[in-house]
Amino acid sequence: MTTSRADAADRPGGKPFPVDLETVTVAQLTALLDAGKVTSTTLTEAYIERIKALNSQGPSLNAVRALNPDAMKEAAAADKVRRGKGPHSPLLGIPVIVKDNIDVAGLPTTAGSVALTDSRPAKDAPVVARLREAGAVIIGKANLTEFANYLTTGMPGGYSSLGGQVLNAYDASQTPSGSSAGSGVAASIGLAAVAIGTETSGSILSPAYSNSVVGIKPTVGLASRTGIVPIAASQDTAGPLTRTVADAAATLTAIDGTDPEDPATASNPLVGHDFTKDLSATALQGARIGVVAGQVPATGTDNRTLWDAAIAALKARGATLVDVTLDTTGHPSTVLTYEFQRDLDTYLARLPANAPMKSLADIIAHNNAHAAQALKFGQVHALESQAMDHSPDSADTATYEADRAQDLADSKDRIDTVMKDNSLTALLFANSGSAAIGAKAGYPTISVPAGYQAANRRPFSISFLGQAWSEPTLIGYAYDYEQATKLRRPPTVINPAPYRCTALTSSADSADSANSSGSCAP
């Protein structure tokens, strides 16, 4: 394993850190921790140094909103557990960053809103509690698109009134995409070993492909949503964003589980499942995967070249590719508008009595009173949701119930039909093309890096969608494809320019040369 300048900066004792944090996997870190070559304490310290160098200085990616002041204590505790020599989770001592709409005890949960700057939960969200049970170190909170991109229309991906703008580590001129933008960027450039995002419709899958990382949007109900600032219970879920399929599988194993406060988890048949056992380099043999016609990129484009290469790789691994037609469009639906106010008010009611905001109405009023800071792009969705009549016999409720039924018909029923009629085990999409139809169905999807466009080196991904609780199958397919192609490259390789003058990510020679020639900014 090579050691880059990223992790060879001067450290106490003058010893270089023995691993490249930009590319290291959870398994590699675990091996180093088990061998005593690093400790969770020194590992967490190295990630904090890296965050300071890349998040707030250097290219100023702004992916991390806040560090956990107890991260070093948590790392020391993990080191103590490891010294016990007993069996442990793959995530023991592994630094994890979580999206800032997920409750972490001791830290505000802001959803990127100035209205929630001091909104502190009483306890961890169950997802975070499970990560802690696995021994993970919660290193901090990731920036996000405000209120998971449901405050208003026209807000750029990765922007919030509290956190500012997240930058894409591969190309700052391009969106980091999706509301889990900070989590995607943090995973891509190695600001933590793994990251947790959330999705309602595309907010894991979109940053996964935009930031060239692996993203798993699980079946709704596989991971608890309690303690997560919501958009809509019909579609919300948390999931991992990582650099490899194996890391995503280990993280999904940790957050999987039932929660008495989240009824969607009651029917989860995968409780206790170890998704790392699904990592198979022969998983694609005998697979029947539907190639969705509307997902095939236009002939003559870079994306078509990458898509054709992905198809060839899947066939070479033994998969049968079946051309299918699937209508992924939908009708105008009020589901998110109706559920946002209902579910957000439920979340806020769980907070301590001194919480600054008690309802969406309070947030709207606060934003209006502080419009210069809070409302660069307005709050159209918030106002529309607040205006809904949620009484059982209202016209809005009747429309919502009809729309939800139609959403399921447009998504779940269509997917189930095409998969049954063609005896399929999964469906194949380009980038985040499965997001809308999969989200409405509550079905899982995994996105995997599939190369970079020749013209501009921007990322391209493929994604596998399946029916409910098919994560083991999808993880196997994604891992088999990943191992056959190994196409992912880190940001500093694909786009070295922003990092040339950043000591923690440049080679010693290039950094020194750049500085001596006066080509670096002051």
Side-chain angles (χ1 to χ4, degrees):
M1 187 182 303
T2 59
T3 301
S4 76
R5 173 81 172 191
D7 310 298
D10 291 341
R11 306 180 58 80
K15 295 181 179 179
F17 199 72
V19 65
D20 186 346
L21 296 181
E22 188 175 15
T23 58
V24 69
T25 67
V26 168
Q28 289 168 337
L29 288 174
T30 297
L32 289 168
L33 288 162
D34 286 344
K37 294 183 179 179
V38 300
T39 66
S40 182
T41 303
T42 58
L43 178 61
T44 301
E45 181 185 35
Y47 274 117
I48 290 172
E49 290 176 1
R50 186 173 178 82
I51 288 169
K52 291 177 179 178
L54 297 180
N55 187 72
S56 304
Q57 303 172 28
S60 300
L61 297 173
N62 200 34
V64 179
R65 198 200 66 77
L67 290 173
N68 177 11
D70 293 327
M72 296 304 296
K73 292 180 182 178
E74 294 178 21
D79 287 333
K80 184 176 180 180
V81 172
R82 190 177 299 276
R83 287 195 295 271
K85 302 297 184 183
H88 54 74
S89 160
L91 294 188
L92 177 63
I94 300 297
V96 175
I97 194 162
V98 301
K99 187 176 178 180
D100 192 20
N101 61 346
I102 303 174
D103 285 351
V104 174
L107 292 176
T109 303
T110 73
S113 170
V114 295
L116 298 180
T117 301
D118 296 315
S119 185
R120 296 178 181 271
K123 59 183 179 179
D124 291 333
V127 162
V128 172
R130 290 194 175 95
L131 288 168
R132 292 196 193 279
E133 289 169 8
V137 175
I138 307 302
I139 196 169
K141 299 290 236 24
N143 267 324
L144 70 158
T145 317
E146 189 164 349
F147 280 107
N149 204 19
Y150 206 73
L151 177 68
T152 192
T153 58
M155 183 176 285
Y159 174 84
S160 69
S161 62
L162 181 63
Q165 180 65 51
V166 179
L167 299 184
N168 188 318
Y170 282 92
D171 188 336
S173 73
Q174 299 299 296
T175 177
S177 198
S179 74
S180 303
S183 299
V185 172
S188 77
I189 196 67
L191 302 185
V194 300
I196 302 293
T198 66
E199 172 157 345
T200 305
S201 183
S203 289
I204 290 174
L205 300 178
S206 187
Y209 97 78
S210 296
N211 298 288
S212 198
V213 294
V214 174
I216 299 180
K217 181 264 177 189
T219 304
V220 171
L222 185 137
S224 168
R225 286 89 50 83
T226 302
I228 300 177
V229 179
I231 293 179
S234 294
Q235 298 180 198
D236 288 350
T237 184
L241 288 153
T242 66
R243 292 182 290 279
T244 68
V245 176
D247 289 355
T251 307
L252 193 65
T253 300
I255 66 174
D256 175 24
T258 58
D259 169 20
E261 294 189 65
D262 184 352
T265 66
S267 59
N268 178 1
L270 295 173
V271 174
H273 185 83
D274 184 352
F275 295 100
T276 66
K277 302 297 185 184
D278 303 313
L279 302 170
S280 169
T282 60
L284 286 165
Q285 293 180 14
R288 283 182 60 84
I289 299 174
V291 178
V292 179
Q295 290 296 299
V296 180
T299 301
T301 63
D302 285 348
N303 279 353
R304 180 58 179 269
T305 300
L306 295 168
W307 172 267
D308 289 345
I311 294 293
L314 294 170
K315 290 180 177 178
R317 300 298 277 190
T320 298
L321 281 297
V322 182
D323 292 333
V324 297
T325 299
L326 175 67
D327 184 359
T328 60
T329 62
H331 72 293
S333 175
T334 63
V335 168
L336 301 191
T337 306
Y338 187 92
E339 294 189 9
F340 181 52
Q341 183 264 329
R342 181 198 72 185
D343 296 344
L344 180 59
D345 282 4
T346 298
Y347 166 84
L348 293 170
R350 297 181 69 254
L351 296 175
N354 63 351
M357 299 290 128
K358 309 298 184 185
S359 65
L360 175 58
D362 287 349
I363 292 168
I364 290 171
H366 184 279
N367 288 345
N368 285 332
H370 303 85
Q373 292 77 33
L375 295 180
K376 177 175 170 59
F377 298 98
Q379 50 184 342
V380 172
H381 289 321
L383 292 168
E384 290 173 344
S385 186
Q386 184 62 32
M388 283 278 182
D389 184 347
H390 289 79
S391 58
D393 57 352
S394 72
D396 286 341
T397 297
T399 300
Y400 158 72
E401 290 173 348
D403 284 348
R404 178 58 182 153
Q406 187 63 51
D407 282 352
L408 290 172
D410 291 345
S411 58
K412 181 179 181 296
D413 292 355
R414 289 178 187 173
I415 293 168
D416 290 350
T417 298
V418 76
M419 292 189 71
K420 180 181 179 181
D421 289 350
N422 294 278
S423 301
L424 302 177
T425 51
L427 293 167
L428 185 70
F429 291 79
N431 294 325
S432 59
S434 69
I437 192 169
K440 290 179 179 179
Y443 282 178
T445 300
I446 181 167
S447 177
V448 191
Y452 304 87
Q453 298 175 39
N456 48 38
R457 288 178 266 169
R458 290 171 187 156
F460 179 77
S461 290
I462 61 170
S463 56
F464 301 91
L465 178 146
Q467 291 169 296
W469 317 114
S470 63
E471 283 88 345
T473 297
L474 303 183
I475 286 170
Y477 292 173
Y479 180 79
D480 196 353
Y481 169 78
E482 174 196 56
Q483 294 304 298
T485 57
K486 296 185 177 179
L487 291 171
R488 184 183 185 274
R489 299 291 181 270
T492 59
V493 171
I494 294 297
N495 184 25
Y499 309 99
R500 181 172 51 84
C501 296
T502 303
L504 288 184
T505 53
S506 303
S507 70
D509 289 343
S510 64
D512 291 344
S513 175
N515 286 321
S516 64
S517 66
S519 62
C520 292

